[in-house]
Amino acid sequence: MTKPPAASGPALARRALAVGESVTLAVAEKAARLRAQGIDILSFAAGEPDFDTPEFIKKAAIEGLAKGHTKYTPSSGIAPLRAAVAEKFRRDQGLDYDPTQVLISCGAKHAIYNALHAILDPDDEAVIAAPYWTSYPEMVKTTGARPVIAQTSEAGGFKLTPADLSAAITQRTKVFIHCSPGNPTGAVYTRAELEALAGVAVDRGLYVISDEVYEKLVYGNATHVSIASLGREIADLTIVVNSCSKTYAMTGWRIGYSAGPADVIDAAARIQSQATSNPNSIAQDAALAALKSDHAFLPGWIAEYRKRRDTIVAKLREIPGISVSEPEGAFYVFPRVSDLYGRPLRGRTCRSSVEIAEFLLEEARVAVVPGAGFGSDDHIRISYATSMEKIVKGMYRMADALSDLK
């Protein structure tokens, strides 16, 4: 087949050229292509629960269809769902939002995107702690602003300190993007740690976008605390973002939400109204049922995630050249693999997380995500939101592929 000619029209927008591809989706797509060729690939790449959406949530969607809830809704979301989100924040975080301060969006990513476009002008700066979710810097770039990466350390639990945050702030800094529990590290900030960061944000007058999508997925003595709950001053600067995706296994339903200062939410809502009209009407019915439920299914899910975490950490610690910290939340481990760099691995030499991920995909038939996409080339991300059987089998394959190491 002849390759189509290159486009001869005007150049693409600089913002489009600056935005990179999602490394997570790229790995998932490559694994899917290999599976289509009949190759048995175990994927630990995707960040979504393997549990099915609870039946009562599906039933609510079916009932919405039967009632004819198939038309446009208000662009900011249906009133009952905005009220349910406001009540969720009161119940779970002690946050007092009027429903008009709530915006329902097409997933948490969309909510963050809207907030960034409401806040940032070209040449502004956004501080992001590394390791970070791969989409944060790219979404900042779509606004014309500049992402400023503040490195954390593994010894420090992958947590940003007030000194780290202060050092990253300039006269152009307008927002700090925060995530706890964290993706990809599973780090969970304590109340005292958040109070210290909130103090810097208040002193410097920074907005905070607080991504709390993994709030329910914490283990042991770890507790989720919303930075917005630490006082009026920080609440007035914080846009809290959450979604139904992780808590209710509703990744494909695409319902996220945000709440915060009225002027920011109003601006984000106007941007959304011109971009996507409204979130899916049927998914909003499902989300309403989810948020108003008793969450009886959650303890069992969390207990299963914890067993998987304990198993995958123990198995990884048996593999030469790999070290891993025990995450306190979310459903990822972020093992260090840099000790493998430069060492012979079945006739090849890897010198980056991308090359290690390629090696594991080709030699172990295991799909993981390179840490380079998360701002740390010394690591890889492995999701344990999959069955125990796949975890045990996948870790065996990794150990076998690296068995030549001593």
Side-chain angles (χ1 to χ4, degrees), residues 239-325:
I239 300 91
V240 182
V241 173
N242 211 317
S243 84
C244 294
S245 293
K246 314 301 182 182
T247 300
Y248 305 102
M250 292 176 64
T251 51
W253 298 74
R254 306 315 303 139
I255 294 293
Y257 49 89
S258 55
D263 58 340
V264 176
I265 296 300
D266 182 63
R270 293 198 305 274
I271 291 166
Q272 176 168 297
S273 73
Q274 299 298 343
T276 59
S277 294
N278 60 270
N280 179 285
S281 60
I282 305 308
Q284 289 186 72
D285 285 342
L288 180 60
L291 287 169
K292 296 183 75 172
S293 72
D294 61 6
H295 299 80
F297 60 92
L298 256 182
W301 286 12
I302 293 168
E304 179 62 23
Y305 282 137
R306 182 172 180 175
K307 285 194 294 184
R308 296 172 181 180
R309 179 204 65 173
D310 293 348
T311 298
I312 202 167
V313 167
K315 296 292 185 184
L316 284 168
R317 286 176 174 171
E318 294 174 356
I319 302 176
I322 293 180
S323 62
V324 63
S325 302

Side-chain angles (χ1 to χ4, degrees), residues 93-117:
Q93 279 84 35
L95 298 171
D96 186 18
Y97 295 118
D98 187 86
T100 60
Q101 292 176 267
V102 172
L103 174 61
I104 310 301
S105 300
C106 305
K109 181 183 287 188
H110 188 208
I112 295 169
Y113 183 93
N114 289 334
L116 288 171
H117 279 260

Side-chain angles (χ1 to χ4, degrees), residues 179-196:
C179 183
S180 176
N183 173 9
T185 66
V188 179
Y189 285 74
T190 66
R191 177 177 293 273
E193 290 165 342
L194 289 174
E195 286 173 343

Side-chain angles (χ1 to χ4, degrees), residues 314-323 340 394-400 402-403 405:
K315 296 292 185 184
L316 284 168
R317 286 176 174 171
E318 294 174 356
I319 302 176
I322 293 180
S323 62
L340 300 174
M395 295 307 100
Y396 173 81
R397 287 185 182 182
M398 284 181 58
D400 182 61
L402 297 168
S403 60
L405 297 175

